[in-house]
Amino acid sequence: MTTTQTPGAIAPSSAAEVLARCDELDRFSSSPHHLERVHLTPEHKAANDAAEAWMRRAGLTTWTDAAGNICGRREGRTPGLPALLLGSHLDTVPDAGSYDGMLGTVMAIAVAERLRGVELPFALEVVGFSDEEGTRFGKALLGSQALAGTWDDDWWELRDTRGVTLRQAFLDWGLDPARIGEAARRPEDLVGYLEAHIEQGPYLEAADRSLGYVTTIAGARRFHLSVLGEARHAGGTPYPRRRDALVGAGEAVVAIERLAKASDCIATVGRIEVTPGAVNVIPGRADLSLDLRAATDAERDAMWHTMRAEIEAICAARGLRLEAVEQHNAPAAPCAGWLQQAVVDGIRHTGDTDPMGLWSRAGHDAMAVAAVTDIGMLFVRCFDGISHHPGEAVREIDVERGLDAFEAAVLQVAAAYEVRDE
Ligand SMILES: [Zn+2]
């Protein structure tokens, strides 16, 4: 990698260098054949080391916090001022692409570098979160929840697929579980949090735009649905006497899609399991998952009531019974108006006079950070909406505009903060 500033060299804060740094992070993987970098592994350490070196080159003072997040800071006009946080995550899903999380982290470092000589009314911090995807321990947002002070001690006993507890993984990596509270930030020490991220959807591409601002991050509700019928002989039971749970579940899946498509909600049945699961037995039971998201919690909750009533009607008509158990319920995290405005102004700075707003269907570190400070997000167009897949791709021109917008947004935050503070 180029470290000297010779004429013609790639500037450390350019889009080309940002993309080169994302490529470099691809090297830190548990597999030589695909990208997989999960929480508290040697490759996590290597990615943190690389990010730390880039942060130092950007003039930041660096540390690894008590949750394994890599952090950097430069002071504002006077030392000790509250900080504007910029960041995203450095962990991945299995067989990942190169940009989900990494692009936002590397862009944040580049923006800090661009603003190196600029006096700001707050400190500027960059964070590369240790765990957003939850790949290793099945629990997402561990890094950002530690920072937000919403850590739950029950998580210490979570185990990875090899049986290693989260507590043991902390110890093995050189972190002290007893000090996890030290990663938590106080609201009064923060100005807000800005995150750039690939869109992970097709809307910007369809609208022929490089960038968008996020209005809110949807919170998902997840349910375990059980359709209960009666297992009987496949040959000996005539149709009027069948109570086939799988056929009822199939109708329910189609109804779930129809209702969601007619609204602004997104609903997914990702898993179905049939009991007893024999070729010559009518299914007596079907268990399915339901993941439900919308821009607002009210829309999402109303959709669940509608869906539940419809599925119950489908079941009743077939002599089946529905049981629904909620397994996860995260509230939506709206982006703060003043930070949305800063991101809008930042995008306008790139020549897009009427920036596109969109709600994030995917979860992000920002939704955890929202528990402790205001959040704002900038989306960068990605190819064909592909994400969580090695085919993830971004265009250099979009990253260039993204850097310009991100930098301008930070300056807008500075202007708004000074007005607000007067
Ligand atoms: Zn991500």
Side-chain angles (χ1 to χ4, degrees), residues 30-326:
S30 61
S31 162
H33 307 296
H34 67 263
L35 175 58
E36 177 171 343
R37 184 171 52 247
V38 302
H39 199 197
L40 305 174
T41 52
E43 49 275 14
H44 169 194
K45 179 75 171 63
N48 274 12
D49 287 349
E52 181 166 38
W54 298 329
M55 286 179 185
R56 287 200 178 141
R57 212 174 305 160
L60 306 180
T61 304
T62 59
W63 70 97
T64 300
D65 76 8
N69 300 311
I70 184 70
C71 308
R73 175 181 169 106
R74 53 159 276 206
E75 297 298 336
R77 191 166 290 151
T78 54
L81 292 172
L84 177 67
L85 275 178
L86 315 179
S88 193
H89 59 97
L90 291 169
D91 69 317
T92 76
V93 294
D95 201 13
S98 306
Y99 305 103
D100 173 4
M102 286 69 79
L103 180 70
T105 309
V106 173
M107 282 176 67
I109 296 169
V111 165
E113 183 142 32
R114 285 176 173 213
L115 293 170
R116 187 172 189 156
V118 179
E119 190 184 271
L120 294 170
F122 41 69
L124 194 63
E125 291 191 21
V126 175
V127 54
F129 286 111
S130 58
D131 173 80
E132 191 270 351
E133 305 286 5
T135 306
R136 182 168 178 190
F137 292 100
K139 174 86 194 138
L141 302 166
L142 289 173
S144 37
Q145 294 200 82
L147 180 140
T150 51
W151 188 269
D152 183 336
D153 281 332
D154 287 349
W155 299 339
W156 290 120
E157 300 311 317
L158 291 171
R159 285 174 193 271
D160 69 9
T161 53
R162 291 185 301 130
V164 178
T165 61
L166 181 59
R167 179 189 303 282
Q168 189 59 47
F170 261 64
L171 293 167
D172 294 346
W173 209 73
L175 293 172
D176 181 356
R179 298 177 70 171
I180 189 69
E182 293 174 17
R185 306 299 300 267
R186 299 185 306 172
E188 59 268 34
D189 291 334
L190 298 173
V191 171
Y193 172 75
L194 287 181
E195 177 170 358
H197 203 284
I198 57 166
E199 184 201 346
Q200 301 180 286
Y203 297 99
L204 289 174
E205 194 171 66
D208 196 24
R209 290 161 188 268
S210 294
L211 305 171
Y213 67 97
V214 177
T215 53
T216 186
I217 306 169
R221 283 181 82 175
R222 298 199 182 113
F223 299 90
H224 182 110
L225 306 180
S226 303
V227 176
L228 306 168
E230 189 181 30
R232 282 199 183 206
H233 196 286
T237 315
Y239 278 109
R241 301 188 60 167
R242 287 182 179 227
R243 290 162 58 211
D244 186 326
L246 180 57
V247 181
E251 259 194 77
V253 172
V254 174
I256 286 165
E257 187 198 45
R258 174 171 45 76
L259 291 168
K261 277 171 99 171
S263 72
D264 288 325
C265 301
I266 293 269
T268 305
V269 175
R271 202 165 50 210
I272 186 158
E273 197 178 318
V274 179
T275 310
V279 290
N280 56 355
V281 183
I282 296 165
R285 177 186 180 114
D287 291 282
L288 42 159
S289 63
L290 171 64
D291 176 291
L292 188 56
R293 302 167 194 234
T296 67
D297 295 344
E299 284 173 85
R300 185 195 61 181
D301 296 346
M303 177 50 62
W304 165 239
H305 286 296
T306 306
M307 278 180 180
R308 182 179 190 139
E310 179 111 2
I311 300 168
E312 276 173 346
I314 289 167
C315 288
R318 292 181 165 276
L320 306 167
R321 202 158 53 78
L322 175 70
E323 281 178 7
V325 177
E326 182 162 16

